[in-house]
Amino acid sequence: VAAAAEIGARNILFTSRVKDQGFNTKRYGECCDMAAPHGIRVVCEFLPIFPLNTLAMAAQIVADAARPNGGVLIDNLHFSRSGATFEQLSGLDRSLFPYIQIADAPAAVPTTFEALLDDAVNGRLCPGEGGLPIAEMCAAIPDVPISFEVRSKALREGFSDDAERARHLLKFCLSLA
């Protein structure tokens, strides 16, 4: 939290590998309390490779913690891989989502833990290169900032220069504007 405050971050992520929802809610609330004096929002991210693995669980943690600086992060890759639906999303208050995180990937959902992990760490594609419903996600949560997470083995190997890789990715990101 101190590092985030130092650089002027507006949001920090919270997720958990702990299975106890009550413990996660308590820790989430504590994180929100630490971040609040700095004007930082804490977004609860769900990942299908963690016990905190559904949109419903993340939304429940935020609701139960009841902190004014709480929110949920929707990463469209995790959204897709977790089995979440736009119908579930439509039932939630849009103010829960201060921003969304976008990447692309093949539409087919990996079926093993190892494949899901590799998908999240190495398999992301630039927006428009895969089969995830990016336009639908942007329409479902409109008018919020977009963060791009494109952790990709192909991009790392194809562009050894970080600046060149960023320029390549920027072309795809601008196409969403």
Side-chain angles (χ1 to χ4, degrees):
V1 172
E6 182 69 27
I7 64 169
R10 293 180 292 191
N11 300 284
I12 59 172
L13 293 175
F14 173 92
T15 193
S16 179
R17 293 183 181 171
V18 176
K19 291 182 182 180
D20 183 335
Q21 187 85 344
F23 174 83
N24 289 333
T25 300
K26 179 179 181 293
R27 286 298 293 151
Y28 177 77
E30 291 168 354
C31 288
C32 288
D33 293 345
M34 287 186 290
H38 304 285
I40 296 173
R41 192 160 186 184
V42 181
V43 291
C44 187
E45 183 176 19
F46 60 97
L47 295 85
I49 57 174
F50 286 175
L52 198 172
N53 58 13
T54 68
L55 171 59
M57 290 174 82
Q60 192 64 56
I61 285 171
V62 173
D64 290 348
R67 300 304 200 280
N69 63 327
V72 174
L73 175 63
I74 301 292
D75 175 317
N76 74 316
L77 178 73
H78 300 317
F79 182 87
S80 167
R81 300 321 194 215
S82 72
T85 66
F86 287 106
E87 291 78 27
Q88 291 170 322
L89 191 59
S90 69
L92 298 173
D93 183 346
R94 291 296 171 267
S95 68
L96 280 175
F97 312 111
Y99 69 101
I100 57 176
Q101 198 161 277
I102 297 293
D104 214 340
V109 178
T111 58
T112 67
F113 173 83
E114 292 77 14
L116 279 168
L117 178 60
D118 187 61
D119 190 43
V121 174
N122 293 311
R124 293 174 187 253
L125 302 172
C126 293
E129 289 185 323
L132 296 183
I134 295 173
E136 293 87 340
M137 180 60 69
C138 291
I141 306 176
D143 305 321
V144 296
I146 297 173
S147 166
F148 295 94
E149 181 176 4
V150 185
R151 297 173 66 170
S152 164
K153 182 177 180 183
L155 282 173
R156 288 190 306 273
E157 291 176 350
F159 298 92
S160 59
D161 179 69
D162 293 341
E164 184 180 341
R165 184 169 55 244
R167 281 191 289 279
H168 176 76
L169 177 58
L170 181 61
K171 290 185 294 187
F172 291 91
C173 296
L174 290 174
S175 72
L176 292 176

